[in-house]
Amino acid sequence: MNKLRPLLFAAIIILFVSCEKEFSTENSGNTDNEFIVGIDCRISKIVYTDTAGTSMGSPGTGLGSVAAEINNLDIVTKITAFDSLSNTIEYITDPVYTNDTVYFSPFNGDEYFVVDANKRITKMHGLIDPTDPFSLQFDVFFAYNTSGYLVNKTYFLTITPTVPFYRVDYTYAGAGNLTRMTAVNLPGGDLQMDADLTYYSLTVPKRFIYIFPDEVKYSPFTQFFNFGSRNFNAVKEMKVRNYDPGNVVRDSIVSTFSNYRMSNDTYILSVQMGGDDQPSIPALAGKLSFSYKCK
């Protein structure tokens, strides 16, 4: 029996080291302890990988990433989206800060955020077609409730600044989870899109991704700026429907989230996003891995 003890002890050491290695490959934060991300951290990079058909232990095929450079003052200085399949940069932007305004567009200041004293976004000025600098411009105003959650967004064309043309409403339930979104065209009120979300009641992450199902054009920026309080629990399923005039469903996009891996200090290290791609999340379906910047 005594002869087995060294073998058993060696097996425990090997198991511990292998687990430690697994954590370290997932967590590329700024700490030497692979089990701990740090204090007061936020997502700085999302890497997405295609794991379909891979064998056990294979890392899968890299699809891409979106990353923010964040300085010691907690200010985003650069955002880069990278396509791993073609090995090319999809876009890169260096935000410029002037008083309460954050310019993030290469199109001569046509796209910017306005922030309050807490750096929370209260207004955005953008382009109907972000790829066209001569596109119609719009303003969107963000409203938050007393708990700090974003509850609606109202859009105005700059050529008709007193007449809203689009409105998004968010409904929260439980401890603070976004469970329903509706986006309507005004003034008629026809649905443009809506969404329903469910959550894992026992998974409570720190500063996980924002989920605003309507945000299909500026989703990379959503993840790296302040849009109020975040969902309390980890998302489980997300169903988004797009509508034709007359509230006729045109299509639906359904994604599931599973195999959450969490650090000991409750930051999400990775999650498997199955089903459809979600335009509001700056990653393709597959394994999503997260890096963090800590203050």
Side-chain angles (χ1 to χ4, degrees):
M1 185 68 177
N2 289 339
K3 293 180 180 180
L4 294 178
R5 287 180 179 174
L7 295 176
L8 179 60
F9 180 75
I12 293 173
I13 292 296
I14 292 172
L15 178 61
F16 178 80
V17 171
S18 66
C19 290
E20 186 177 30
K21 181 179 180 181
E22 182 180 10
F23 267 89
S24 66
T25 60
E26 297 299 332
N27 177 13
S28 55
N30 298 325
T31 172
D32 293 331
N33 187 335
E34 294 88 351
F35 295 94
I36 301 296
V37 172
I39 298 174
D40 198 1
C41 308
R42 63 183 178 113
I43 291 172
S44 61
K45 186 175 184 179
I46 305 172
V47 175
Y48 41 102
T49 306
D50 183 6
T51 57
T54 58
S55 59
M56 184 175 295
S58 172
T61 302
L63 298 175
S65 65
V66 58
E69 294 183 12
I70 305 171
N71 66 21
N72 291 332
L73 298 177
D74 198 35
I75 294 174
V76 175
T77 59
K78 186 185 295 291
I79 297 176
T80 306
F82 186 77
D83 185 333
S84 298
L85 294 178
S86 62
N87 199 34
T88 58
I89 293 176
E90 292 185 316
Y91 67 80
I92 187 168
T93 184
D94 303 277
V96 175
Y97 297 79
T98 304
N99 298 323
D100 64 349
T101 305
V102 184
Y103 297 92
F104 60 86
S105 170
F107 297 141
N108 301 317
D110 286 335
E111 295 176 289
Y112 57 83
F113 295 122
V114 177
V115 302
D116 62 16
N118 297 314
K119 299 182 182 179
R120 189 172 63 181
I121 304 300
T122 58
K123 176 185 174 182
M124 174 187 166
H125 185 83
L127 301 170
I128 294 296
D129 180 358
T131 66
D132 179 6
F134 301 103
S135 173
L136 283 175
Q137 301 181 19
F138 68 89
D139 292 300
V140 53
F141 294 88
F142 299 79
Y144 300 86
N145 63 18
T146 55
S147 297
Y149 288 94
L150 180 61
V151 291
N152 66 64
K153 298 189 294 191
T154 307
Y155 290 71
F156 300 80
L157 290 175
T158 54
I159 59 175
T160 55
T162 62
V163 182
F165 72 92
Y166 193 64
R167 179 184 171 98
V168 179
D169 289 284
Y170 303 109
T171 301
Y172 296 85
N177 293 318
L178 174 64
T179 57
R180 174 97 177 137
M181 180 278 297
T182 58
V184 299
N185 291 309
L186 302 173
D190 278 357
L191 276 170
Q192 176 77 27
M193 60 192 308
D194 66 8
D196 295 290
L197 300 94
T198 60
Y199 296 82
Y200 291 98
S201 60
L202 298 181
T203 305
V204 183
K206 289 180 182 175
R207 301 193 73 175
F208 194 40
I209 55 174
Y210 281 117
I211 299 179
F212 300 121
D214 60 292
E215 193 54 77
V216 299
K217 295 181 179 178
Y218 294 97
S219 60
F221 299 99
T222 301
Q223 298 308 322
F224 302 124
F225 290 93
N226 185 349
F227 291 87
S229 301
R230 298 170 185 263
N231 291 314
F232 185 77
N233 295 108
V235 62
K236 181 178 184 180
E237 185 178 69
M238 180 176 175
K239 298 179 180 179
V240 181
R241 290 164 292 272
N242 295 290
Y243 291 82
D244 287 327
N247 294 341
V248 178
V249 176
R250 179 173 70 250
D251 58 45
S252 63
I253 308 171
V254 181
S255 302
T256 58
F257 300 81
S258 61
N259 299 324
Y260 276 98
R261 297 189 64 250
M262 184 181 288
S263 69
N264 282 0
D265 50 351
T266 69
Y267 290 93
I268 298 298
L269 305 178
S270 67
V271 64
Q272 187 71 31
M273 178 177 164
D276 299 317
D277 300 332
Q278 290 287 348
S280 62
I281 296 176
L284 302 178
K287 182 180 180 180
L288 278 56
S289 301
F290 303 91
S291 299
Y292 292 84
K293 169 69 175 180
C294 302
K295 289 184 179 180

